[in-house]
Amino acid sequence: MSFINKIDNIANITFGGETIYSLPAETLLLLAPLIVKTVDKPIANLEDVLTYTITISNVSLSAITNLSFADPIPVGSTYVDGSFMVNGVTVTPVITADTLTYTIPSIAILGTCIIKFQVNVVGGTI
C-alpha cells in the first residue's frame, strides 16, 4: 500500500525555445497514523498470559509528538505489572479505571512505535 504524503508542484516557462522549470512548491500532508493490534494467542486457558502488540505507523513526512495512547485492559484479565514496553524499553503506563494510558513522546517521519504489554487470563462471569 502506498500513500500520498506530499504534494509537489512545478511550473515552467518557455524562453528562447527552452523550457525552464521552477523549484518545486512542496506541501506536506498531515496524515493520521495507522494502528494495528495483535495478540499472541487466539485461544487461551485460565491463567494463561496473553501478549498484545500494538504497532503505530507514522505515514506522514512530519514527525508526530506527544501522541496519546489508551488501551482498556480486557474483561476477564488483569494487567501484568512491569510488562508495558515501548520500542523494547520497559516504561510505566498510567492505569485508570482498567485502562492503560501512555503519551508517546515522538514517532519519526515514516517511523513506527511498537507497544507491548501482557495480561493474565483470570476469567469472570457472564
Side-chain angles (χ1 to χ4, degrees), residues 92-107:
T92 304
V94 174
I95 303 173
T96 307
D98 292 329
T99 297
L100 301 169
T101 60
Y102 180 77
T103 299
I104 301 165
S106 67
I107 303 176

Side-chain angles (χ1 to χ4, degrees), residues 74-87:
V75 173
S77 67
T78 58
Y79 170 69
V80 175
D81 288 332
S83 69
F84 195 88
M85 298 181 77
V86 177
N87 295 326

Side-chain angles (χ1 to χ4, degrees), residues 11-12 36 48 56 70 89 92 104 116:
N12 68 72
V36 175
D48 278 356
I56 303 164
V89 176
T92 304
I104 301 165
K116 290 187 177 195

Side-chain angles (χ1 to χ4, degrees), residues 17-121:
E18 285 190 46
T19 303
I20 302 168
Y21 296 94
S22 71
L23 294 174
E26 181 176 273
T27 301
L28 300 180
L29 301 177
L30 294 175
L31 302 173
L34 302 176
I35 183 168
V36 175
K37 183 175 183 179
T38 60
V39 64
D40 67 331
K41 295 178 184 163
I43 298 173
N45 294 305
L46 290 175
E47 300 182 19
D48 278 356
V49 174
L50 303 178
T51 300
Y52 290 101
T53 301
I54 300 92
T55 303
I56 303 164
S57 300
N58 179 5
V59 296
S60 179
L61 293 176
S62 298
I64 297 172
T65 58
N66 298 319
L67 185 64
S68 296
F69 170 81
D71 197 336
I73 298 167
V75 173
S77 67
T78 58
Y79 170 69
V80 175
D81 288 332
S83 69
F84 195 88
M85 298 181 77
V86 177
N87 295 326
V89 176
T90 302
V91 296
T92 304
V94 174
I95 303 173
T96 307
D98 292 329
T99 297
L100 301 169
T101 60
Y102 180 77
T103 299
I104 301 165
S106 67
I107 303 176
I109 295 168
L110 301 177
T112 59
C113 175
I114 298 174
I115 296 174
K116 290 187 177 195
F117 70 92
Q118 296 178 321
V119 297
N120 287 313
V121 178

